[in-house]
Amino acid sequence: MLARPRLRALCLRNARHTLPAQSQRRQINHFVSQNPPTADQPPPSQPQTTFTLAVKDNITTVSPLPTTTCASPFLASHASPFQATIVTQLQSFGAQLVAKTNLDEFGMGSHSTHSAHGPVAQSLGGSPYSAGGSSGGSAVAVANEEVDLALGTDTGGSVRLPAAYCGVVGYKPSYGMLSRHGVVPYANSLDTVGLLARTVGRIRELVVERGLWKVWDGRDPTSLGEATRRRCAEGREGCNGEKGRGLEGVRLGLPVEYNIEELEGRVKDAWVEAAGRLEERGAKVVPVSLPTTRHALSAYYVIALAEASSNLAKYDGVSRGQGFGEEVKRRILLGSYTLSSEAMDNYFLKAQAVRRLVRRDFDRVFRLENPLQDEQEVFDLSEMSDDIPMESKLGPAEVDFLLCPTAPTLAPKLEDVMSGQGVLDAYMNDVFTVPASLAGLPAVSVPMPVEGEERMAGLQLIGQYWDDAKLLGVAEAVSEVLRGTK
């Protein structure tokens, strides 16, 4: 048993698509445009509306909210000629699109403050706090119970971090599972569509029971083909929608390298407390080692910024110095440098090598094999931390999922973010989320209570590639335990 111890004027304003007028909503600023839900019944050929939906404003929609701004002056009045596949899929399930949500410009940020529409905030005790980024608007809409489900994008934690700060559930699927057609790209090898809801069950119903995970989209070059999906699903529990067995016999790994100096004591205590409660419900909790973790954040920002600079090169070079915000310009410059002939070998290529090592670390600690790898990785015992016990002479215990905080800190006050937090501090918020993104793995953040705090932390579960169905089932059980309902 573990011990417990301004462009604000560029915002869309017209008769059909207006920003919310209430003072509370002006304060939190989470909607870019809104189409209030109606009681009108859908045509007979369409399903009855079963849930309301908000969509991050870097995901294209055509009706009833046709504009996609990416929170950037460049796209202030851009109307997409087509709709994102994921939005169409959810509408076929009965979703009613009621809002487009605010974000960091082009998804680049950790607090949803780098927006042409102004910063997003969540209100706690009457004070504005960071909503996390870059899908902060989506997370706030869910937390305020204004929508049942919200779409975000997760490149290095942009769904999971806002979920943690706002006390909701945030899910990043395996890379290539959910279609990205219609998503304005940030970093192509990392971008995923993510879902936010108040319960894991809502997300599990759509992804697993209603079969979102099965759907190949030929318009998305990163979408796994149908045959590959079937192969990846072989031996994966829960892919046919069956309910899992809960926590009994599930082995959870606590990465020792995640116990970093920047981890707040309150968050660490809540992590240990949660692990202990899960053990009481039948899970087995063991320490594991992910040696490359200390290099993952640096590698992520080299790769992501290089890809971002390439993606944003299509915007007019004469005007983008004025059109882009400071954070986007910073990332373009850094990314362009890492792709330069004098720096590529020292930065970009080395970051790609680190990415392979991060994926190797995950493959070595999971019981399940990675279906995209020909051979199962094994530990070189000389690389392991002395803190990791051997299960047998062959090496340490293998686990089903990793259990760790989603963010190293609780949500900071918005004024502190706007005035005092440095760029490196903001980047550090992603330290626990980027490893799964580099490896393309599924991950879920569920709300984790913190003793004596109104603010919630996030508890993250990370699974092997394409083990999304079981991950969501276990995350649902974990969430029930943390809420005290199981």
Side-chain angles (χ1 to χ4, degrees):
M1 177 71 67
L2 293 178
R4 301 199 189 181
R6 256 151 234 73
L7 271 136
R8 187 177 299 276
L10 290 176
C11 295
L12 306 177
R13 299 178 183 271
N14 58 45
R16 293 185 57 202
H17 313 118
T18 60
L19 289 172
Q22 295 91 337
S23 60
Q24 175 70 2
R25 291 186 183 178
R26 281 201 303 269
Q27 181 187 32
I28 60 181
N29 198 33
H30 56 315
F31 289 154
V32 170
S33 57
Q34 191 175 10
N35 183 63
T38 68
D40 296 341
Q41 293 297 314
S45 61
Q46 298 296 317
Q48 297 295 306
T49 297
T50 57
F51 58 96
T52 51
L53 173 69
V55 175
K56 186 177 180 180
D57 206 34
N58 64 342
I59 301 174
T60 59
T61 55
V62 294
S63 179
L65 302 170
T67 310
T68 303
T69 73
C70 296
S72 176
F74 266 124
L75 301 177
S77 59
H78 170 68
S80 174
F82 62 91
Q83 181 162 272
T85 298
I86 186 66
V87 177
T88 302
Q89 289 172 331
L90 293 175
Q91 288 177 329
S92 74
F93 292 161
Q96 184 178 2
L97 176 61
V98 299
K100 298 297 288 290
T101 60
N102 203 353
L103 66 150
D104 286 298
E105 185 179 6
F106 288 103
M108 299 182 189
S110 298
H111 294 287
S112 297
T113 55
H114 305 293
S115 170
H117 306 293
V120 182
Q122 60 163 325
S123 182
L124 294 172
S127 299
Y129 283 80
S130 169
S134 61
S135 305
S138 291
V140 171
V142 171
N144 288 356
E145 301 186 10
E146 295 172 90
V147 295
D148 300 313
L149 184 81
L151 288 178
T153 56
D154 193 310
T155 303
S158 287
V159 161
R160 290 163 286 160
L161 181 60
Y165 280 3
C166 295
V168 299
V169 176
Y171 162 63
K172 184 199 88 71
S174 292
Y175 183 85
M177 178 174 284
L178 300 186
S179 173
R180 285 187 351 204
H181 175 71
V183 174
V184 178
Y186 167 11
N188 297 63
S189 72
L190 297 158
D191 291 343
T192 58
V193 171
L195 307 179
L196 297 110
R198 288 184 291 281
T199 66
V200 181
R202 169 75 69 178
I203 296 173
R204 183 181 173 277
E205 174 195 0
L206 295 168
V207 175
V208 182
E209 296 178 7
R210 305 193 72 167
L212 273 178
W213 74 268
K214 299 178 182 179
V215 184
W216 167 68
D217 183 6
R219 295 170 296 181
D220 174 11
T222 68
S223 179
L224 260 66
E226 294 174 345
T228 305
R229 288 172 186 264
R230 290 193 297 269
R231 179 176 64 80
C232 288
E234 292 177 3
R236 292 322 199 229
E237 185 179 308
C239 284
N240 294 319
E242 67 273 18
K243 193 75 172 180
R245 62 180 184 271
L247 295 174
E248 191 65 38
V250 173
R251 184 172 288 182
L252 303 173
L254 303 187
V256 296
E257 290 84 5
Y258 283 33
N259 187 22
I260 59 176
E261 182 180 349
E262 293 81 3
L263 178 60
E264 279 189 5
R266 293 170 296 180
V267 177
K268 179 180 178 180
D269 291 344
W271 177 26
V272 174
E273 170 73 15
R277 293 177 64 183
L278 297 177
E279 276 198 317
E280 291 178 349
R281 300 304 192 279
K284 183 174 182 180
V285 180
V286 298
V288 295
S289 180
L290 301 170
T292 316
T293 290
R294 64 186 183 274
H295 304 303
L297 189 64
S298 301
Y300 164 80
Y301 273 104
V302 169
I303 294 168
L305 272 53
E307 294 184 11
S309 69
S310 178
N311 280 323
L312 296 181
K314 57 179 167 285
Y315 294 96
D316 181 68
V318 174
S319 63
R320 62 182 176 178
Q322 297 177 341
F324 286 140
E326 292 302 313
E327 182 60 25
V328 173
K329 287 190 286 187
R330 178 185 295 112
R331 296 189 184 206
I332 290 174
L333 289 171
L334 289 171
S336 298
Y337 175 72
T338 62
L339 290 176
S340 65
S341 59
E342 64 183 41
M344 178 174 282
D345 288 349
N346 285 332
Y347 292 97
F348 187 75
L349 296 183
K350 288 185 177 179
Q352 294 288 8
V354 169
R355 185 178 195 168
R356 290 191 293 272
L357 294 176
V358 169
R359 185 183 297 116
R360 181 200 65 177
D361 283 356
F362 282 119
D363 288 344
R364 295 190 302 189
V365 302
F366 284 129
R367 279 175 169 175
L368 282 178
E369 294 186 4
N370 187 328
L372 300 184
Q373 300 296 321
D374 293 331
E375 297 181 3
Q376 178 72 358
E377 293 280 357
V378 296
F379 262 110
D380 180 342
L381 301 186
S382 66
E383 298 178 5
M384 286 186 51
S385 167
D386 293 336
D387 299 329
I388 305 302
M390 297 293 103
E391 184 174 49
S392 68
K393 64 181 181 181
L394 299 178
E398 294 177 328
V399 300
D400 299 300
F401 304 103
L402 298 174
L403 188 74
C404 64
T406 309
T409 67
L410 299 174
K413 286 188 175 182
L414 188 62
E415 62 181 355
D416 294 336
V417 173
M418 299 293 289
S419 63
Q421 190 178 70
V423 174
L424 294 181
D425 291 330
Y427 291 179
M428 194 67 194
N429 291 335
D430 301 332
V431 65
F432 295 149
T433 54
V434 299
S437 296
L438 283 173
L441 303 181
V444 183
S445 176
V446 299
M448 178 172 65
V450 178
E451 186 175 357
E453 274 286 343
E454 181 180 11
R455 290 171 293 176
M456 301 285 280
L459 184 66
Q460 182 179 209
L461 290 98
I462 304 171
Q464 178 58 286
Y465 188 77
W466 219 260
D467 200 21
D468 298 58
K470 185 176 179 181
L471 172 67
L472 288 169
V474 170
E476 188 170 13
V478 168
S479 182
E480 290 171 353
V481 170
L482 298 184
R483 293 201 315 264
T485 60
K486 185 174 182 178

